[in-house]
Amino acid sequence: MSAHFSASRRAAWLLAVAMMFWSCTEAATARRAEVQRHLKKLNKQAVKSIKSPDGDIIDCVHISKQPAFDHPLLKNHTIQMRPSFHPESHLFYESELVSKKKLPVQSQLWHKNGRCPENTIPIRRTKKDDLLRANSVENYGRKQHRSTPNPLSAELDLLNENGHQHAIAYVEGDTYYGAKATINVWEPRIAQGNEFSLSQIWLLGGSFGEDLNSIEAGWQVSPDLYGDDNTRLFTYWTSDSYQATGCYNLLCSGFIQTNSEIAMGATIYPISRYEGSQYDISILVWKDPTEGHWWMQFGNDHVLGYWPSFLFSYLADGASMIEWGGEVVDSEPGGAHTSTAMGSGHFPGEGFRKSSYFRNIQIVDESNTLRDPTDIATFTEQPSCYDVQTGNGGQWGHYFYYGGPGRNSNCS
């Protein structure tokens, strides 16, 4: 009786183990299939592919085959190859950008090994490992909810709950039709793979609840997203406070790229060194008053493309707040602060060649003209961890230094 009972229990245990193994195998097979489907959706057929020195593959995809056109509302969209107006020059076809003497500009690492032909756009190829690092295939390329700093809220504890920390300058109280800045480029230290550090411009509309509209552009270091610690050009958009809409770069349908030379998500080269050579990038985002689309420019002469106006509710009319500055994710458990750096990893008081800066910050007004902002305010959750200091004057116009090391003797 005892032997029979023992054999029955052993058989049941073996059956349970077999079922568990079968279930795990089925789940793994389903995940592999899901990853392959998503890779096929993201990685469009290339006219030419370029291997970057950093290991990236840049696919030159025909402009009409880019991910934006997976969007149902863009199926019959006619690509607008250039904006009808430009805030630096009024009618774009008369732009000084066309005749301006070319100066050395910030480059991308993949340019060392080639360029994309006309009528194509460069797209960083998504790899299987990129998707496997994400907590789910569905969430790949998306920010977490509530990652935008709300300097008008007194609920700092609530802001810190999601682990995002900021050091920003901002303007609000008017309607804005664009923003510009020249951003110092660094390679901040990232303490953990699921954290990031970025420096960017935010153009915001709506409330900081469930309906926030945001367009974002700048540079970031994000091991989770890219699999390395390289400093990369990025964009982001959302029309529902990071819930179901929007993504980084071209990782979903939305942004329409028209430029064949600059790849979203590609490594920026070279970068600044402490007490050494300094490098910066210029970013301008503005609303075309004729078509209503939001355009982005990188440097002095690379108009990259646009976010169609129909993607947004509040931003279809204009932005109600502009923010410039840094953001990090702090995922340290137990209340200890992360040592992920923001900017150069040094506080604003150290100044040029040591602390990171934004210079020549400007807004685009209702007459489609770039002008200096008024009533600039600053915001940071924990100035002992990351801080911001503004200034004004000289060739830098309105500027600020920002950032910090994270965890230190005054920030723990």
Side-chain angles (χ1 to χ4, degrees):
M1 179 82 174
S2 175
H4 176 71
F5 179 72
S6 178
S8 298
R9 287 188 64 181
R10 185 169 181 274
W13 178 80
L14 287 172
L15 180 61
V17 169
M19 291 291 288
M20 188 182 301
F21 177 77
W22 177 81
S23 177
C24 290
T25 304
E26 284 285 295
T29 302
R31 181 161 169 79
R32 279 196 300 270
E34 185 184 19
V35 165
Q36 288 304 318
R37 280 195 303 272
H38 206 64
L39 286 174
K40 188 175 180 181
K41 180 181 178 183
L42 289 176
N43 295 326
K44 306 300 184 183
Q45 184 175 356
V47 173
K48 173 185 177 181
S49 295
I50 299 164
K51 178 75 178 288
S52 175
D54 62 0
D56 280 357
I57 304 294
I58 303 297
D59 288 325
C60 305
V61 174
H62 193 276
I63 190 169
S64 65
K65 304 295 183 185
Q66 63 182 292
F69 297 110
D70 291 338
H71 197 293
L73 294 179
L74 288 172
K75 292 297 183 186
N76 299 311
H77 181 79
T78 300
I79 300 174
Q80 188 179 343
M81 291 303 296
R82 57 197 304 153
S84 60
F85 280 84
H86 190 286
E88 289 183 313
S89 58
H90 281 301
L91 285 174
F92 187 67
Y93 58 77
E94 294 176 353
S95 172
E96 293 174 8
L97 298 178
V98 176
S99 59
K100 188 180 289 183
K101 182 180 178 183
K102 295 289 175 64
L103 299 172
V105 295
Q106 198 72 337
S107 187
Q108 292 190 308
L109 200 55
W110 66 276
H111 290 161
K112 288 176 176 281
N113 291 343
R115 301 276 178 153
C116 284
E118 273 190 69
N119 297 317
T120 68
I121 66 163
I123 302 179
R124 178 185 181 270
R125 185 183 299 177
T126 301
K127 301 173 183 175
K128 181 175 72 172
D129 287 346
D130 294 332
L131 292 180
L132 293 176
R133 280 192 306 274
N135 57 14
S136 73
V137 171
E138 185 182 53
N139 289 332
Y140 173 66
R142 298 185 187 277
K143 274 191 178 185
Q144 295 178 25
H145 186 39
R146 288 186 63 88
S147 72
T148 301
N150 180 5
L152 306 182
S153 172
E155 301 174 31
L156 291 185
D157 290 340
L158 181 61
L159 278 170
N160 287 336
E161 277 180 9
N162 65 9
H164 290 251
Q165 297 220 314
H166 311 85
I168 64 165
Y170 70 94
V171 291
E172 54 91 24
D174 203 347
T175 302
Y176 309 97
Y177 299 90
K180 186 179 182 181
T182 298
I183 311 171
N184 201 192
V185 179
W186 294 81
E187 191 178 83
R189 176 183 180 273
I190 309 299
Q192 297 194 64
N194 63 342
E195 298 181 343
F196 67 62
S197 181
L198 58 77
S199 298
Q200 67 171 53
I201 302 172
W202 288 261
L203 298 96
L204 304 170
S207 71
F208 283 84
E210 306 300 306
D211 60 356
L212 183 72
N213 288 200
S214 182
I215 289 174
E216 306 168 25
W219 61 257
Q220 69 179 162
V221 178
S222 177
D224 204 33
L225 187 60
Y226 302 106
D228 59 31
D229 292 327
N230 293 352
T231 301
R232 296 170 177 273
L233 174 69
F234 84 96
T235 61
Y236 200 93
W237 71 273
T238 180
S239 61
D240 63 356
S241 197
Y242 309 95
Q243 295 178 94
T245 64
C247 62
Y248 283 111
N249 307 327
L250 302 180
L251 295 175
C252 65
S253 55
F255 185 83
I256 298 174
Q257 185 157 337
T258 57
N259 183 282
S260 63
E261 296 186 49
I262 301 297
M264 301 292 195
T267 299
I268 299 171
Y269 173 86
I271 59 169
S272 304
R273 298 294 177 195
Y274 187 76
E275 294 187 323
S277 298
Q278 298 300 297
Y279 299 94
D280 49 34
I281 59 172
S282 218
I283 288 178
L284 167 64
V285 178
W286 79 100
K287 187 173 177 59
D288 186 324
T290 302
E291 299 290 338
H293 306 320
W294 288 90
W295 285 82
M296 176 179 170
Q297 179 176 304
F298 176 76
N300 288 327
D301 51 5
H302 292 296
V303 175
L304 299 190
Y306 58 96
W307 291 270
S309 59
F310 75 79
L311 294 174
F312 305 102
S313 50
Y314 296 99
L315 284 177
D317 299 319
S320 55
M321 180 180 285
I322 306 293
E323 299 175 347
W324 302 264
E327 175 184 357
V328 301
V329 167
D330 178 3
S331 63
E332 282 284 345
H337 199 284
T338 184
S339 56
T340 286
M342 181 190 293
S344 69
H346 293 263
F347 284 113
E350 295 193 39
F352 186 62
R353 295 174 68 228
K354 297 177 180 179
S355 180
S356 188
Y357 60 80
F358 277 62
R359 63 178 174 88
N360 301 109
I361 64 173
Q362 294 180 293
I363 58 95
V364 179
D365 65 16
E366 67 281 352
S367 65
N368 203 42
T369 302
L370 272 167
R371 64 170 174 82
D372 291 341
T374 55
D375 300 322
I376 299 170
T378 61
F379 170 81
T380 179
E381 290 94 347
Q382 291 181 271
S384 59
C385 306
Y386 313 104
D387 206 0
V388 55
Q389 292 178 7
T390 58
N392 180 30
Q395 293 184 334
W396 278 28
H398 287 278
Y399 67 89
F400 62 89
Y401 288 98
Y402 71 102
R407 186 167 64 231
N408 63 76
S409 57
N410 296 315
C411 167
S412 56

